[in-house]
Amino acid sequence: MKKKVSILFLLTAAISLVTAVPTFAENESSADATSSFAANESSANASLSSIESIVPLAAGESTSVVVNPVTYAFSSPINGAGQYGKISLESSGKAELFVYYNTGDGVWRSTDISYPGTGFIFLDESGGSSSLNFFMNLGWQYKVYVFADTYTAKGYIRNYQ
């Protein structure tokens, strides 16, 4: 019986992971790129067994925002999946990205010294691109604030590696 349960758990986890593999490139290619998606939409209608509820259902969400020079904008929020995700910033010049989070109380907070991990990226005058891994708590929401100084900038956030 124990072997049967562990095989069922591994099979369920493998199926969940395979169906939750997101296509980040597709989501990044849109012009405004402010939408987020749930990769597990097909499983949303299915009833969950106790084994399936262990796998985070929010995995596979991403969003991005494009900002013109000397302006700023927020991305759409995504759900934390209880795992490391990634934040990225791209620009041909000086730009900044900060992560904001909402614990469920409706208040958006910027990451600071009390938040574990680094929730910001700075690009100098030469620009380029930079990415960081960032832990996103299950049940919290996250979005990025991007400020473009000299050139257009694009910020990304996703809740998976």
Side-chain angles (χ1 to χ4, degrees):
M1 178 67 174
K2 187 175 181 179
K3 186 176 181 179
K4 192 174 193 177
V5 170
S6 65
I7 290 172
L8 178 63
F9 174 76
L10 290 174
L11 181 60
T12 303
I15 290 170
S16 296
L17 289 174
V18 169
T19 59
V21 173
T23 357
F24 189 56
E26 284 179 15
N27 205 27
E28 292 174 358
S29 65
S30 66
D32 66 0
T34 57
S35 64
S36 62
F37 67 97
N40 287 336
E41 287 179 9
S42 62
S43 64
N45 295 331
S47 63
L48 296 175
S49 70
S50 60
I51 294 173
E52 289 173 322
S53 66
I54 296 170
V55 179
L57 295 177
E61 292 185 14
S62 65
T63 188
S64 62
V65 63
V66 177
V67 181
N68 291 321
V70 196
T71 58
Y72 67 89
F74 285 93
S75 70
S76 299
I78 62 170
N79 295 303
Q83 64 188 16
Y84 278 91
K86 188 170 278 200
I87 56 174
S88 301
L89 179 63
E90 298 174 357
S91 181
S92 296
K94 192 173 181 180
E96 303 169 1
L97 176 145
F98 296 92
V99 175
Y100 279 72
Y101 64 96
N102 178 348
T103 62
D105 60 3
V107 178
W108 287 96
R109 298 168 183 87
S110 176
T111 54
D112 59 16
I113 194 83
S114 65
Y115 191 91
T118 304
F120 54 87
I121 299 173
F122 297 107
L123 297 177
D124 62 17
E125 292 83 18
S126 61
S129 64
S130 183
S131 296
L132 293 172
N133 293 330
F134 185 80
F135 189 81
M136 298 180 198
N137 292 305
L138 186 62
W140 291 15
Q141 288 191 312
Y142 295 86
K143 62 184 176 181
V144 291
Y145 163 91
V146 177
F147 173 74
D149 191 7
T150 54
Y151 291 91
T152 300
K154 188 170 185 180
Y156 305 89
I157 184 168
R158 66 184 191 194
N159 65 3
Y160 57 92
Q161 288 289 316

